């Protein structure tokens, strides 16, 4: 059993099911007072990483920001992070695994959970993001193309997850994202379910789940650990194939509807990717 994630028999069972059904699943963890996740430690981390690892903006955004452009706060980075209690900003420190201490922390969190959700040995591309957000700030309605466990470290936040009206509706947005579209959605979360996260709570959010995050009344620190899996990579290939077919005037079926067709599409795209890579190497 992992020391950092509290996975009892029931949560192990639930996570295995979540991996199959694509339903979000709440978990609990022991990262609340971790030395690497204090505001001071995270401000030090942020200034030590390349500038493109940090993204920040003003915290008060509407529920929908379809073009993905949000205004930023004009402050020095360390000052902005240490002032988060009062300055109203939202900040994400991306790819914290660039620092070996944080990489080890991600490993401790994910060694167990990845295999449960994605199948033993089928997960890869582990990445960590720390979200620092001022009281009341919000992350608008969006989807992400990877598996994600969000662990609430300090303060509270509400994760609102949604349900797609149909597999086709999910596939349309996933295809748009895989084709280079922005992760933000042009609509609010549909059939919303609220997950109220206290420090010590977490939630597994499956790929392409529509969700938004609303911060509680205090500074919030959360660690989001993401990974990919072979099944997910195959699904992305099917989505790319569908996009080609659509441009050719056809109406392809959503991934998961016809496994035989999915395999053929994934194989074709895989061959095209290999051919492209070979041409590039020459
Ligand atoms: Fe997200």
């Amino acid at each position: 059993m992992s020391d950092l994630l509290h996975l009892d028999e029931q949560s192990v069972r639930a996570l295995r099911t979540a991996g199959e059904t694509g339903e979000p699943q709440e978990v609990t963890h022991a990262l609340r007072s971790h030395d690497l996740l204090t505001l001071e430690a995270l401000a030090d981390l942020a200034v030590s990483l390349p500038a493109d690892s940090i993204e920040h903006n003003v915290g008060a955004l509407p529920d929908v920001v379809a073009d993905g452009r949000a205004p930023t706060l004009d402050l020095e980075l360390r000052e902005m992070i240490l002032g988060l209690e009062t300055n109203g900003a939202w900040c994400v420190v991306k790819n914290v695994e660039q620092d070996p201490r944080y990489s080890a922390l991600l490993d401790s969190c994910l060694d167990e959970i990845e295999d449960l959700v994605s199948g033993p040995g089928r997960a890869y591309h582990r990445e960590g993001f720390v979200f620092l957000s001022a009281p009341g700030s919000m992350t608008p309605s969006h989807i992400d193309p990877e598996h994600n466990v969000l662990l609430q470290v300090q303060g509270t936040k509400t994760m609102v997850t949604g349900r797609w009206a149909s597999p086709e509706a999910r596939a349309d947005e996933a295809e748009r994202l895989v084709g280079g579209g922005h992760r933000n959605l042009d609509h609010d979360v549909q059939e919303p379910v609220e997950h109220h996260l206290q420090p010590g709570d977490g939630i597994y959010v499956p790929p392409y789940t529509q969700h938004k995050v609303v911060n509680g009344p205090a500074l919030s620190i959360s660690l989001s650990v993401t990974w990919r899996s072979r099944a997910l990579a195959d699904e992305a290939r099917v989505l790319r194939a569908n996009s080609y077919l659509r441009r050719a005037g056809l109406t392809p079926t959503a991934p998961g509807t016809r496994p035989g067709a999915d395999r053929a599409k994934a194989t074709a795209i895989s061959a095209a990717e290999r051919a492209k890579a070979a041409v590039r190497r020459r």
Side-chain angles (χ1 to χ4, degrees):
M1 283 286 150
S2 159
D3 288 338
L4 292 177
L5 292 186
H6 302 146
L7 298 178
D8 57 17
E9 235 171 82
Q10 196 192 341
S11 42
V12 164
R13 242 195 332 266
L15 279 166
R16 265 201 198 107
T17 315
E20 287 157 17
T21 61
E23 288 289 320
Q25 176 59 46
E26 293 177 12
V27 296
T28 56
H29 64 84
L31 289 168
R32 264 192 284 193
S33 44
H34 201 287
D35 291 349
L36 293 176
L37 297 171
T38 62
L39 204 55
E40 268 301 314
L42 291 166
D44 289 344
L45 173 69
V47 295
S48 77
L49 292 180
D52 62 359
S53 301
I54 316 297
E55 197 183 314
H56 60 95
N57 58 50
V58 298
L61 294 179
D63 285 4
V64 176
V65 181
D67 66 0
R69 281 197 291 267
T72 60
L73 209 64
D74 190 21
L75 279 179
E76 191 262 324
L77 183 58
R78 193 183 164 78
E79 186 193 350
M80 187 272 292
I81 291 179
L82 293 177
L84 276 167
E85 279 286 3
T86 51
N87 66 20
W90 171 93
C91 171
V92 57
V93 185
K94 298 190 265 191
N95 295 107
V96 299
E97 73 281 359
Q98 294 174 88
D99 181 312
R101 297 167 305 157
Y102 286 83
S103 177
L105 179 66
L106 299 196
D107 288 347
S108 316
C109 288
L110 276 201
D111 277 342
E112 200 163 358
I113 198 167
E114 271 182 354
D115 283 356
L116 288 172
V117 174
S118 304
R122 294 185 169 269
Y124 61 93
H125 204 76
R126 204 174 264 186
E127 294 177 290
F129 305 81
V130 174
F131 292 95
L132 299 150
S133 26
S137 65
M138 90 104 64
T139 308
S141 169
H142 70 283
I143 53 173
D144 297 308
E146 58 274 303
H147 297 273
N148 176 20
V149 175
L150 183 82
L151 304 168
Q152 188 63 17
V153 175
Q154 185 180 319
T156 61
K157 72 177 26 169
T158 301
M159 163 76 80
V160 184
T161 59
R163 283 214 180 87
W164 296 105
S166 66
E168 288 72 24
R170 173 187 181 276
D172 283 351
E173 291 293 352
E175 193 179 308
R176 185 185 58 75
L177 184 63
V178 166
H182 199 275
R183 66 189 192 130
N184 283 2
L185 297 170
D186 64 2
H187 60 78
D188 205 351
V189 172
Q190 298 159 331
E191 291 192 46
V193 178
E194 292 189 354
H195 309 267
H196 300 284
L197 305 178
Q198 306 280 337
D201 294 335
I203 183 166
Y204 163 65
V205 181
Y208 309 120
T209 301
Q210 39 179 317
H211 59 289
K212 66 178 178 182
V213 188
V214 186
N215 222 33
L219 166 71
S220 163
I221 300 178
S222 34
L223 171 65
S224 163
V225 195
T226 67
W227 71 96
R228 304 198 176 217
S229 67
R230 288 185 214 168
L232 199 56
D234 275 342
E235 185 182 18
R237 290 189 183 103
V238 175
L239 292 164
R240 264 182 232 120
N242 282 357
S243 172
Y244 286 125
L245 294 170
R246 217 179 292 287
R247 270 178 273 153
L250 300 169
T251 310
T253 52
T257 319
R258 290 173 55 210
D262 282 357
R263 270 194 299 278
K265 288 173 188 169
T267 306
I269 292 291
S270 207
E273 286 168 350
R274 277 199 303 274
K276 225 190 240 174
V279 169
R280 244 187 257 127
R281 274 198 301 274
R282 262 182 222 161

